[in-house]
């Protein structure tokens, strides 16, 4: 890539109409975000060159935690360098005292790896399958269950309500979702899948004896236009996550430029609800268009849509034909959570115009 990601993006020297990646709210190239990142680096250097537990909590890092708490409507938030480790950190806090850990067999790499950090043996359950979860959960008094909130390549939402029905049988169940692709996209307040389901007030807010407890971690590097991982929650819970793993005292604090840009991006998303409204409109327009072409799209309003269009050879052909016409839609055949034949992965941004989406659909109509 030789430009910032956006509706038009340069790849291998060619400018494409771009429906790929994860810059869903279209902020990666926003001038205010870039300027805030530059300003933070000028002022505080590349990074603080020490861990958060020493002197690493510089003003831009602190600003991300404050802006994230405001955005997520929580007391506090823990900010770290990459969303990939969000689950690693959360599992360190959540696996204490559980007698089994269950993970969706096709969850993102970082979810599976994090599950393996937990003490007890890890068992997989069939992808998105509450009945298999019920079978594997039977007989356990305390459980930690991990899954993606949204399939990163498919856009399929986890059947959370069905999981919760199953987990009612367990004395102490903890459900942890990775919502890397839902933060900034789903829910009336843009807080992700739990927000979409009206469950946000219970999330990262452990209350003893209140039924299945809900946890989430994610990234600010996708829709929310910044960079780094985030765990929002009550002050007590967030502090527990800071202490539970050694990330807070054993890793360099996030880079100043990343933190400065991220704090500004979060503030913009809060101040400009029209960004999320536009993303949702575009996600629904693309879904409706793909459906009208006879393709099956996942339910919901995720900003990325994995579509199976014939076999792998056909999807490679569709990808190549679109590319020849200046449109980039990747064919993804290697990633976690894919069907055997792979998918054409469409991503839409808040700053795609309706005309750009319609152009994609009309080209696709002639190629399929
Ligand atoms: C589901 C999921 N979780 C976590 C990550 C990692 O987040 P980050 O890019 O912030 O490390 C990704 C992809 O990048 C992802 O798709």
């Amino acid at each position: 890539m030789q430009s910032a990601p956006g509706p038009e993006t340069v790849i291998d020297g060619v400018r494409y109409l771009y429906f790929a990646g994860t810059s869903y709210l279209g902020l990666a190239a926003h001038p205010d975000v870039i300027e805030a990142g530059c300003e933070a680096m000028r002022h505080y250097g590349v990074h603080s060159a020490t861990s958060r537990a020493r002197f690493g909590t510089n003003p831009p890092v602190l600003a991300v935690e404050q802006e994230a708490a405001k955005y997520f409507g929580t007391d506090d938030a823990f900010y770290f360098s990459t969303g990939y480790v969000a689950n690693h950190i959360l599992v360190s806090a959540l696996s204490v005292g559980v007698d089994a850990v269950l993970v969706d067999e096709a969850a993102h790499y970082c979810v599976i790896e994090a599950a393996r950090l937990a003490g007890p043996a890890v068992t997989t359950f069939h992808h998105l399958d509450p009945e298999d979860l019920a079978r594997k959960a039977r007989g356990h008094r305390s459980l930690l269950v991990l899954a993606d909130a949204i399939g990163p390549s498919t856009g399929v939402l986890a059947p959370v309500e069905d999981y919760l029905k199953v987990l009612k049988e367990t004395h102490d169940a903890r459900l942890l979702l990775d919502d890397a692709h839902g933060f900034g996209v789903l829910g009336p307040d843009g807080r992700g899948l739990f927000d979409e389901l009206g469950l946000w007030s219970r999330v990262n807010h452990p209350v003893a004896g209140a039924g299945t407890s809900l946890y989430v971690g994610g990234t600010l590097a996708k829709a929310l236009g910044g960079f780094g991982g985030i765990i929002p929650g009550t002050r007590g819970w967030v502090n527990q996550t800071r202490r539970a793993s050694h990330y807070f005292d054993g890793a360099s604090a996030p880079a100043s430029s990343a933190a400065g840009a991220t704090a500004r991006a979060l503030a913009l998303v809060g101040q400009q609800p029209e960004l999320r409204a536009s993303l949702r409109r575009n996600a629904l327009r693309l879904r409706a268009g793909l459906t009208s072409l006879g393709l099956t799209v996942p339910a919901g309003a995720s900003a990325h849509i994995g579509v199976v269009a014939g076999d792998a050879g056909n999807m490679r052909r569709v990808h190549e034909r679109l590319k020849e016409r200046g449109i980039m839609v990747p064919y993804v055949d290697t990633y976690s959570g894919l069907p055997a034949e792979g998918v054409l992965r469409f991503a839409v941004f808040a700053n795609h115009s309706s005309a750009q989406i319609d152009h994609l659909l009309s080209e696709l109509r002639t190629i399929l």
Side-chain angles (χ1 to χ4, degrees):
M1 187 180 291
Q2 293 94 27
S3 68
E8 290 186 17
T9 299
V10 179
I11 296 168
D12 295 335
V14 179
R15 178 170 293 272
Y16 290 99
L17 183 53
Y18 184 69
F19 291 94
T22 63
S23 183
Y24 305 129
L25 287 170
L27 291 171
H30 193 291
D32 294 358
V33 174
I34 292 171
E35 185 46 37
C38 294
E39 182 55 25
M41 184 150 71
R42 271 194 291 273
H43 218 91
Y44 300 101
V46 174
H47 66 120
S48 53
T50 182
S51 73
R52 294 289 308 277
R54 305 295 158 242
F55 309 107
T57 305
N58 65 13
V61 168
L62 202 55
V64 174
E65 297 193 332
Q66 287 164 348
E67 288 295 343
K70 211 188 294 173
Y71 181 80
F72 288 100
T74 52
D75 305 335
D76 200 356
F78 178 17
Y79 174 50
F80 37 90
S81 296
T82 159
Y84 199 94
V85 299
N87 301 291
H88 295 61
I89 291 170
L90 282 159
V91 163
S92 306
L94 283 170
S95 56
V96 179
V98 296
D99 56 55
V101 176
L102 304 181
V103 60
D104 183 310
E105 64 187 0
H108 190 265
Y109 309 118
C110 68
V111 177
I112 304 266
E113 286 171 14
R116 292 200 194 112
L117 286 179
V122 176
T123 306
T124 56
F125 61 94
H126 298 162
H127 188 38
L128 303 168
D129 184 347
E131 285 172 20
D132 196 45
L133 175 64
R135 273 191 292 278
K136 307 280 170 60
R138 208 160 290 143
H140 291 294
R141 253 185 83 72
S142 62
L143 275 178
L144 171 59
V145 178
L146 296 96
D148 291 328
I150 312 180
S153 301
T154 61
V156 175
L157 307 182
V160 172
E161 282 153 332
D162 295 335
Y163 290 168
L164 292 179
K165 275 187 212 138
V166 165
L167 294 173
K168 266 197 181 132
E169 307 296 320
T170 306
H171 169 73
D172 169 15
R174 308 165 190 186
L175 175 63
L176 167 58
L177 297 184
D178 179 324
D179 210 358
H181 296 265
F183 283 0
V185 178
L186 297 181
D189 293 309
R191 294 167 183 164
L193 181 56
F194 282 128
D195 184 25
E196 182 95 6
L197 299 173
L199 295 167
W200 183 254
S201 62
R202 285 174 53 191
V203 173
N204 290 355
H205 183 186
V207 178
T212 300
S213 48
L214 309 178
Y215 301 91
V216 75
T219 183
L220 302 170
K222 301 189 190 297
L224 290 166
F227 199 82
I230 199 77
I231 300 170
T234 59
R235 194 166 314 285
W237 173 248
V238 170
N239 275 330
Q240 208 177 319
T241 64
R242 288 189 180 115
R243 285 193 306 265
S245 86
H246 290 287
Y247 209 78
F248 192 76
D249 63 352
S252 298
S256 307
S257 54
T262 302
R264 186 75 189 108
L266 276 168
L268 279 177
V269 178
Q271 288 154 10
Q272 298 182 13
E274 62 274 18
L275 286 173
R276 287 193 294 107
S278 169
L279 177 60
R280 199 169 184 98
R281 250 193 330 274
N282 283 349
L284 297 178
R285 187 181 193 93
L286 180 58
R287 267 184 171 68
L290 293 172
T291 306
S292 76
L293 297 178
L295 298 167
T296 303
V297 300
S302 63
H304 65 291
I305 302 171
V307 163
V308 176
D311 60 11
N314 189 53
M315 285 190 276
R316 238 180 235 115
R317 181 189 67 83
V318 173
H319 158 74
E320 287 301 332
R321 292 294 93 79
L322 284 171
K323 195 172 159 197
E324 284 160 17
R325 298 177 193 195
I327 301 172
M328 183 57 76
V329 173
Y331 164 62
V332 184
D333 61 348
T334 50
Y335 206 74
S336 60
L338 286 173
E341 60 275 60
V343 293
L344 287 164
R345 183 188 187 278
F346 298 81
V348 74
F349 306 154
N351 52 347
H352 276 120
S353 66
S354 303
Q356 287 173 324
I357 296 168
D358 293 348
H359 179 61
L360 162 69
L361 292 166
S362 73
E363 292 295 331
L364 203 52
R365 185 181 298 280
T366 67
I367 292 169
L368 280 171

